[in-house]
Amino acid sequence: MLLGAPGAGKGTQAELISEKYRITHISTGDILREAVRQGTELGRRAESYMSKGELVPDEVVIGIVAERIQQPDCANGFLLDGFPRTVAQAEALDKALTERGLGLDAVVNLEVDEAEVVRRLSGRRVCGQCAAIYSSADVGQSPQTCESCGGALITRSDDQPEAVQRRLQVYRQQTEPLVEYYSRAGILERIPAAGTVDEVFATVSESLDRVKARSIG
Ligand code: AP5
């Protein structure tokens, strides 16, 4: 599972981890944004919270994840990105995993200061079709279309400065307590995440390789 403030780099690292370790990436943010894009009932309900930087109610996201982790592509493991985000969600996840005889191997906490996450979010563009993530540096070097699918690059509505400030506040109040929650569970991996994407991924990989070796040995 990946933990960290908005803009810490969870989605970016999740793609790299999912590719290297061949596990399914589950991003509650991506699932909710896709529902908004398709105009489903879930999407309409979620949008009112997301655009303001508020959390979608626990029972909604818990239901989404409980269903998602039962899909066949999760049989060999999965990587949760953006879930859990509250203690109630963490407790519901523990229960859902225990019922299935599963457990979390590691919680990777990406640690970056707030000034850096604000800087990263102010430059972020995402593909409106496939959700690929771009930084201001990437966008400066190429046209405003996605390299993988050709979709248009857009700014997320919750990357507006007001919503970013609210997301950071919500993170401090509701999500940061999970650092202590998973530290007490003995599965927290603290990753300094202020470096480049490759530098952070090298540290994440070292940490996950250590966890893997421990679980095999
Ligand atoms: P979600 O999509 O999960 O947003 P978030 O947690 O706020 O995280 P972000 O996606 O903004 O950032 P990230 O850490 O993934 O960073 P990224 O890799 O993109 O959730 C959105 C909303 O959905 C929530 O606010 C809520 O409303 C709802 N929601 C979702 N899950 C929920 C839940 N469980 N419960 C309730 N509500 C929920 O990187 C950011 C930028 O930095 C990019 O431009 C990237 O290119 C760049 N970058 C990344 N790494 C580096 C680096 N090392 N150096 C320089 N630039 C970098």
Side-chain angles (χ1 to χ4, degrees):
M1 188 208 129
L2 278 169
L3 198 59
K10 300 182 294 298
T12 303
Q13 295 297 323
E15 281 307 312
L16 299 169
I17 295 168
S18 154
E19 197 181 326
K20 175 168 178 185
Y21 296 93
R22 296 175 191 280
I23 51 172
T24 296
H25 171 201
I26 302 175
S27 157
T28 42
D30 284 349
I31 294 171
L32 292 168
R33 277 185 291 279
E34 182 56 20
V36 171
R37 198 168 78 94
Q38 295 196 359
T40 63
E41 194 186 325
L42 166 67
R44 282 193 295 280
R45 186 160 176 218
E47 189 173 24
S48 59
Y49 297 96
M50 294 171 81
S51 59
K52 291 197 285 265
E54 303 291 343
L55 294 184
V56 172
D58 283 339
E59 68 274 13
V60 176
V61 276
I62 289 169
I64 291 172
V65 173
E67 199 186 303
R68 182 67 187 86
I69 63 177
Q70 295 189 67
Q71 302 301 314
D73 63 345
C74 292
N76 292 327
F78 46 86
L79 173 67
L80 292 169
D81 159 14
F83 181 92
R85 258 177 148 92
T86 63
V87 171
Q89 290 180 18
E91 288 170 350
L93 176 65
D94 286 345
K95 189 164 170 277
L97 292 176
T98 306
E99 280 168 7
R100 292 167 180 79
L102 302 170
L104 285 175
D105 296 313
V107 174
V108 171
N109 187 34
L110 299 177
E111 300 180 341
V112 200
D113 66 41
E114 277 196 20
E116 175 63 9
V117 299
V118 169
R119 197 188 64 73
R120 289 182 186 178
L121 291 177
S122 68
R124 174 168 60 185
R125 297 290 177 276
V126 294
C127 174
Q129 266 180 50
C130 75
I133 304 164
Y134 293 85
S135 67
S136 51
D138 302 326
V139 172
Q141 288 164 12
S142 63
Q144 304 278 307
T145 52
C146 177
E147 283 168 14
S148 357
C149 76
L153 301 190
I154 56 168
T155 298
R156 272 171 45 176
S157 61
D158 61 350
D159 280 349
Q160 300 302 330
E162 208 174 296
V164 166
Q165 287 309 318
R166 181 61 191 143
R167 285 160 66 202
L168 287 170
Q169 204 178 22
V170 168
Y171 170 76
R172 284 191 296 266
Q173 289 166 349
Q174 302 201 52
T175 309
E176 216 164 38
L178 294 183
V179 174
E180 176 58 26
Y181 183 95
Y182 288 116
S183 172
R184 266 189 278 121
I187 52 172
L188 188 77
E189 298 289 315
R190 297 182 53 187
I191 306 291
T196 65
V197 170
D198 290 346
E199 285 166 354
V200 176
F201 185 56
T203 315
V204 169
S205 293
E206 268 171 36
S207 157
L208 291 181
D209 289 342
R210 238 187 354 256
V211 169
K212 221 171 142 188
R214 241 183 358 236
S215 73
I216 293 167

